[in-house]
Amino acid sequence: MVNFKDFWLKFNFFDYNAFNITNILGAAFKILVIFILIKVFARIGNRFIAGIFDPSKYNRRLKIKQRQANTLKVLTQSVLRYILYFIGIIMILQTFGVKTDSLLASAGILGLAVSFGAKNLVRDVITGFFLIFEDQFSVGEYVKVAGVAGIVEETGLRITKIRDFGGELHIVPNGLIEQV
């Protein structure tokens, strides 16, 4: 018969002595508090970000257009949300007694490996961010980029859609746009 206490102690993932009714109720309370705090910080952060990109104020402070402000607002709110979720998951795992030191180190190494593997995707998104932020071109304008000329139908963080005069739609990754 398998002795689970010896199994968990052998691999040293959990603190087996922490599993009694008092600690379980305490852990449930801590998890509830973590969820509430993440929700509160997300709301506060989203309001702060929305205040920065408020249409009545951003013309004076940031000197950007409403379309750019909306894109940057959504992007910043998404980054905040992912950071808060990651912190919350780590805190919940620590509540259960999981040692997160090696998990955080592994996440750093995995992030580095993914960044090398997704180099083109990262390049496209960063270029798209600066295309929108610097307002290099807008929807409806005639442009010539990456060997394609036509009217811009859509500009996103990763791709730009351009329709030429023959009616053909070209989808150009933003990383390939070097000159407009």
Side-chain angles (χ1 to χ4, degrees):
M1 179 173 209
V2 175
N3 185 349
F4 287 107
K5 178 179 177 181
D6 292 337
F7 174 78
W8 292 120
L9 290 176
K10 178 180 178 184
F11 288 103
N12 213 8
F13 289 127
F14 293 101
D15 182 9
Y16 183 76
N17 296 324
F19 288 106
N20 60 37
I21 192 69
T22 307
N23 289 342
I24 290 174
L25 290 176
F29 179 72
K30 285 180 185 178
I31 291 170
L32 181 64
V33 169
I34 290 169
F35 279 130
I36 291 170
L37 286 175
I38 295 221
K39 195 73 164 169
V40 167
F41 281 127
R43 282 196 178 170
I44 291 170
N46 284 338
R47 285 186 182 165
F48 177 73
I49 292 167
I52 289 174
F53 296 108
D54 183 19
S56 63
K57 299 176 185 174
Y58 69 77
N59 283 334
R60 286 179 281 160
R61 281 191 281 175
L62 300 176
K63 307 259 192 266
I64 58 175
K65 295 179 182 177
Q66 183 176 359
R67 179 178 56 86
Q68 295 169 310
N70 289 337
T71 302
L72 293 173
K73 179 180 82 171
V74 170
L75 181 66
T76 309
Q77 288 174 338
S78 295
V79 168
L80 173 70
R81 186 175 60 241
Y82 292 135
I83 289 171
L84 289 174
Y85 288 166
F86 182 75
I87 291 170
I89 289 170
I90 294 298
M91 292 174 70
I92 289 171
L93 288 174
Q94 287 177 341
T95 301
F96 284 121
V98 175
K99 296 181 179 180
T100 57
D101 301 344
S102 60
L103 180 67
L104 289 173
S106 299
I109 293 170
L110 180 66
L112 185 62
V114 168
S115 68
F116 282 127
K119 182 177 69 170
N120 289 338
L121 176 66
V122 172
R123 183 185 66 189
D124 291 344
V125 170
I126 290 173
T127 304
F129 175 79
F130 283 110
L131 285 173
I132 292 170
F133 185 72
E134 294 172 351
D135 197 28
Q136 293 185 11
F137 53 83
S138 299
V139 174
E141 291 183 344
Y142 174 80
V143 296
K144 183 176 181 182
V145 295
V148 177
I151 304 294
V152 177
E153 284 196 354
E154 182 181 333
T155 302
L157 281 179
R158 199 179 87 66
I159 61 168
T160 299
K161 295 180 181 179
I162 300 172
R163 187 164 307 271
D164 65 13
F165 291 117
E168 192 173 336
L169 180 66
H170 300 275
I171 300 174
V172 180
N174 289 335
L176 296 179
I177 299 174
E178 295 175 358
Q179 184 179 9
V180 179

